Amino acid sequence: MISLYDVAAPAKLNLFLHITGRRDDGYHLLQSVFMLVDWCDTLNFELRQDGLVSREDLGTSLPPDDLIVRAARALQSATGTRLGAHIGVQKRIPAQAGMGGGSSDAASALLALNRLWRLGLPLSALSGIGLALGADVPFFLGGHNAWVEGVGEKITPIELPIGRFLVVKPTAGLDTRSIFSDPSLKRDTETAIISGFAANAFGFGRNDLQPVAQELCPDVTQALQWLQSLGLSGRMTGSGSAVFAPVLQDFSLGSVPHGFQIRLCSSLEAHPLVGWAPTTV
């Protein structure tokens, strides 16, 4: 049986996240920098000749129709392939953390199955399929750290300095919709430019979602206060409950609050699967 083992799906951190407006259809306009980090899920794939898509959870249980399965079926539908796959998933990236775990899994599934099924689809085609699954999927398919604008569809690859970050996921998670629907959310931050960000990459701007998140989820405030007790300046990533802080020197964790998931992450220069799909047909 043909297999692809140990396919990585890395998380991302939002170095900043500004909401600059809102469209008539309700979607929010944003600016952000997405940075890949080495907190990864691991997927493996075995070819099935019967066209079925099955999934085996090797750690944390996932919903039956999660983004990995949906990505596989979307790729089957788009190409008409009669091949299937059995997918093993070792889930490590926390859910509802704002770290893009589900979207990253979907992107790695699309890249891996495009290779396993020998479909040869270019990145542009995979990105079209991925965008229908989630706004962050095209970023992970692109394979590089990026300046992101619009509703998440405008992606400009950028180079970032290498950094280390202490990432904290408190016990509670956060639902994206509850934050974006809150009337107190700031939606008019002034538009930034890449050169302004580049002058202070790890300290630029803020996360406009953080004040609302702290009201909805006291665990976010607790996590930020814990980072502050270590002498670190933290902020929230994305629209989940995880927070992070740049780490410039060694430090002692001390007492970790019960239920917190803690990881010292390093940034990635590129996605582990970069180059797995052609940029052109």
Side-chain angles (χ1 to χ4, degrees), residues 173-175 178-180 182 210-220:
L174 264 172
D175 177 62
S178 62
I179 299 178
F180 278 103
D182 195 290
Q210 185 173 309
V212 174
Q214 290 184 251
E215 289 293 327
L216 295 173
C217 181
D219 277 18
V220 174

Side-chain angles (χ1 to χ4, degrees), residues 70-199:
R70 288 166 56 193
R73 290 175 177 159
L75 188 59
Q76 285 179 320
S77 178
T79 62
T81 182
R82 296 186 178 183
L83 298 174
H86 180 69
I87 308 169
V89 183
Q90 182 67 56
K91 189 70 180 169
R92 299 185 184 90
I93 303 170
Q96 293 190 319
M99 299 173 67
S103 294
S104 183
D105 292 343
S108 289
L110 289 172
L111 290 166
L113 292 172
N114 188 46
R115 173 174 286 198
L116 183 66
W117 293 338
R118 299 182 180 180
L119 300 173
L121 293 184
L123 274 177
S124 58
L126 293 178
S127 293
I129 297 169
L131 184 59
L133 296 166
D136 290 348
V137 178
F139 159 71
F140 288 104
L141 288 167
H144 297 280
N145 300 314
W147 177 274
V148 180
E149 296 182 281
V151 295
E153 85 287 6
K154 299 177 182 178
I155 301 171
T156 304
I158 60 172
E159 292 188 8
L160 295 174
I162 298 297
R164 291 195 306 159
F165 303 83
L166 186 61
V167 185
V168 183
K169 168 59 173 64
T171 306
L174 264 172
D175 177 62
T176 298
R177 289 171 295 182
S178 62
I179 299 178
F180 278 103
S181 63
D182 195 290
S184 66
L185 177 65
K186 179 176 173 61
R187 298 179 169 91
D188 60 354
T189 294
E190 186 176 349
T191 301
I193 56 175
I194 293 179
S195 60
F197 161 80

Side-chain angles (χ1 to χ4, degrees), residues 3-17:
S3 304
L4 290 173
Y5 285 105
D6 295 338
V7 175
K12 58 86 177 167
L13 297 178
N14 294 75
L15 293 183
F16 75 96
L17 201 167

Side-chain angles (χ1 to χ4, degrees), residues 219-231:
D219 277 18
V220 174
T221 299
Q222 185 186 5
L224 289 167
Q225 290 174 342
W226 182 73
L227 286 174
Q228 188 175 31
S229 74
L230 302 177

